[in-house]
Structures are given as C-alpha cells and as structure tokens.
Amino acid sequence: MLKAPDHQVAGHQAHAGKLGPLVDGSGCFYKPLQSGERGTIEAAFYSSFSSNSKVPTHIRRFFPTFHGTQLLEASDGSGMHPHLVLQDIVSNRLDPSVMDIKMGSRTWYPQASEDYIMKCLQKDRESTSVALGFRISGLQTFESEKLGYWKLDRDAVQDFTLEDVKLTLKRFVSSNPSSNAEPDCLLASTIYGGSDGILAQLLELKAWFEDQTIHHFYSCSILTVYEKAGVGEKGSRSRTGAEVKLVDFAHVVDGKGVIDHNFLGGLCALIKFVSDILVSSTNRSKAEGDLKEQTEEIEFSIANDSKA
C-alpha cells in the first residue's frame, strides 16, 4: 500500500488532502508530476539523463534511479495522476538523518514567468541563497531511541542566517543536536570525512560540475543522508553510511556548452563549510587526545613520586 513518506524534510507533502509524493515501502518513491512545463521538463530530464552517454558512470550514482512514470490515485483524492517512479533513497535505512539543501544563488530558470521570478527572488534574498549560493530547506537528525529526531519547522529554517547554517551543519553530525550546548560534532569524521564520506562525494560532484555543460540545474537540491546504525564504533561505515543525492529537476535547462556557475558556486561554498567543520572537529579531537595523553603522563608521574 502507498503512503506518505515518513522521512520527507522539504517540499510538498501528502497530508491534509494535499498533493504530494508517496512511497510503497519496497524501495520506490512516487513523485506527482507537476502541472504544465515543470512536469514535462522533469520527466524529460529523467528519461534523457538515464540514457545520456555523456554522463560518466560514476556520476550516475548521485541521481535517483528512474523507473519510468505511472498513473496512480493522487494523495489529494483528485483522481488518477501521473507520477515519476524513482528510487526511495531512505527505504533501506532505519532512523535516517536527512538534510535537503537547495542549490544556487538564483533558483529561478530563464524561461520562468515574471511572477514566478519575483517570487523566487524574494525567497532567495530573504534566505541565505544569495549570500551563500545555497540554503537549507529542511532536515531531521536522529538523536537517540529516547529523544527521537531533532527537526526544525519550516518557518525556522526559512529564517536561517549564515551563522544558523554553520550551526546546523554541525548539529547534523552531532550526538547532541537538540541540546543548547555547543554541538559536539562527534560524527563529523565518519560522516563528513573519509574516502567515501559526504565531503569526498561533494568534491567528486564538484569535479564534474567544473567540466559539464550539458545541463543547468536551477532550484535543484542536494540530499545528504546517513544512518547512525551504519556508523561503526571505530568510525567505519557500512552500506547504510553517508550518501549524497541530487533531486528535483523541474527547472533543469539546456547548458548550451556553458558551465553551470550558479550551481557550482553554491557547491563550492557548501564544500567550504563542511571542510571547515571537519578540520575543526579533527583538530579538537587531536587536542583532546593530546590533553588526555598529557594528563595520563602527569598522573603516572604523580603516582610514581608518591611511591618514592
């Protein structure tokens, strides 16, 4: 049976008689096709992208697997509606932590109507999009069985400042996200760091965006996902570890041989934020380790002096 996703953190949601995506619990995510050209653009993108030989094989893993389209009963009760059938990114995860980051300092596409452009401009200026080249649209972080998820409401996220973004990116990889204390970034090295962590994946995407001129991805989002159960005691990651995916392609346009600097600029800024957190947490861990070692040496020395 189809139901509304349990772990959707942004976008239109299928509740209270509204049209939104559905999941089947078996690995498929059914996204309602948007009306007008936006739905046509997104369906065409998925269809062409999946067979585009110009897209490197290693880049395809950053996009949800496309399984075609299907007519389904709409979540708002309006009758049969075409849906994109996509990979459910969190279907194999228990208690996933998810963050949706909308990319670009400009989220409107060139062919948009004047009204739509003005609407996007207002959101971009009132959020961190213009200043940073990206904005956090929503997130949830699993804290513990007792506390459940730390999750901010949509209004709070929309009012984020630069400092709020920095703090939230830290909380996303902390064991104490809901605490008023400084985020401990305990999971930064295992989720952001490593050869297959979020930073490494973002850098891989950056290398492609520095070269690709096939598409311009307006109003596209990066999803970062991980599961605490997939992080081992010694920092190892299982198959349910950190993952980066690109989603939302209703505003993708032909790149016409030009690099997508709008997306690339936001990606570079995001990489800098994540990298700074990783370096800071690594230095802190090293300092704590050095302090512990010094303390143990002092205690050992005191113990020996006492015996003497």
Side-chain angles (χ1 to χ4, degrees):
M1 292 181 63
L2 300 179
K3 65 171 187 175
D6 293 326
H7 304 295
Q8 184 180 351
V9 297
H12 302 289
Q13 300 183 1
H15 65 85
K18 295 182 180 179
L19 183 64
L22 302 166
V23 293
D24 61 8
S26 299
C28 286
F29 182 91
Y30 301 86
K31 180 179 180 179
L33 213 61
Q34 296 186 56
S35 59
E37 64 177 4
R38 282 182 281 182
T40 303
I41 289 172
E42 189 159 29
F45 169 81
Y46 273 113
S47 297
S48 63
F49 187 85
S50 59
S51 60
N52 192 333
S53 60
K54 294 181 180 179
V55 179
T57 302
H58 71 279
I59 292 298
R60 295 185 185 278
R61 72 186 179 105
F62 295 111
F63 294 79
T65 305
F66 177 55
H67 301 291
T69 58
Q70 187 174 337
L71 275 175
L72 297 171
E73 183 69 34
S75 61
D76 61 356
S78 60
M80 302 301 286
H81 188 94
H83 288 66
L84 297 167
V85 186
L86 306 168
Q87 170 193 5
D88 183 359
I89 297 167
V90 300
S91 64
N92 65 334
R93 299 171 185 270
L94 183 67
D95 303 321
S97 294
V98 185
M99 180 160 49
D100 184 303
I101 305 169
K102 189 170 288 293
M103 303 302 295
S105 57
R106 162 182 161 180
T107 58
W108 49 274
Y109 57 109
Q111 295 82 11
S113 67
E114 186 175 346
D115 287 345
Y116 186 81
I117 290 175
M118 294 307 296
K119 178 182 176 181
C120 289
L121 272 174
Q122 182 176 354
K123 284 186 178 180
D124 294 345
R125 288 168 177 168
E126 292 177 351
S127 67
T128 61
S129 289
V130 171
L132 300 181
F134 70 89
R135 67 175 180 254
I136 296 174
S137 297
L139 78 157
Q140 67 174 31
T141 302
F142 183 72
E143 191 159 5
S144 66
E145 291 292 338
K146 180 180 179 180
L147 297 174
Y149 288 97
W150 174 70
K151 189 173 183 178
L152 294 174
D153 62 46
R154 185 171 297 188
D155 290 339
V157 174
Q158 287 178 345
D159 292 334
F160 267 7
T161 63
L162 183 150
E163 292 304 319
D164 291 327
V165 170
K166 288 181 179 179
L167 187 62
T168 301
L169 288 170
K170 290 180 180 179
R171 284 180 169 175
F172 187 63
V173 290
S174 293
S175 66
N176 61 338
S178 65
S179 171
N180 290 325
E182 178 71 16
D184 58 26
C185 297
L186 194 64
L187 303 177
S189 62
T190 54
I191 299 303
Y192 286 158
S195 60
D196 59 348
I198 285 174
L199 179 59
Q201 294 178 56
L202 292 176
L203 287 170
E204 192 173 347
L205 271 175
K206 175 177 174 285
W208 183 59
F209 270 93
E210 287 174 335
D211 183 62
Q212 81 87 18
T213 59
I214 310 168
H215 301 292
H216 285 187
F217 293 85
Y218 292 104
S219 200
C220 171
S221 285
I222 284 180
L223 285 186
T224 58
V225 184
Y226 75 88
E227 182 181 8
K228 282 188 177 180
V231 181
E233 291 182 1
K234 296 182 180 180
S236 62
R237 276 182 290 272
S238 72
R239 65 183 182 87
T240 56
E243 188 175 17
V244 170
K245 291 285 187 182
L246 272 64
V247 296
D248 297 338
F249 307 112
H251 305 300
V252 173
V253 300
D254 189 337
K256 297 181 180 179
V258 178
I259 290 174
D260 186 358
H261 291 286
N262 182 59
F263 188 101
L264 181 59
L267 182 56
C268 289
L270 177 60
I271 286 171
K272 179 66 167 59
F273 275 65
V274 172
S275 179
D276 285 349
I277 292 170
L278 188 56
V279 169
S280 176
S281 63
T282 300
N283 289 341
R284 183 169 62 248
S285 296
K286 184 179 184 301
E288 289 172 351
D290 291 344
L291 180 60
K292 181 180 179 182
E293 184 178 338
Q294 292 169 13
T295 302
E296 289 173 347
E297 288 177 355
I298 293 170
E299 289 174 345
F300 180 77
S301 177
I302 292 173
N304 283 342
D305 290 344
S306 297
K307 290 178 181 178

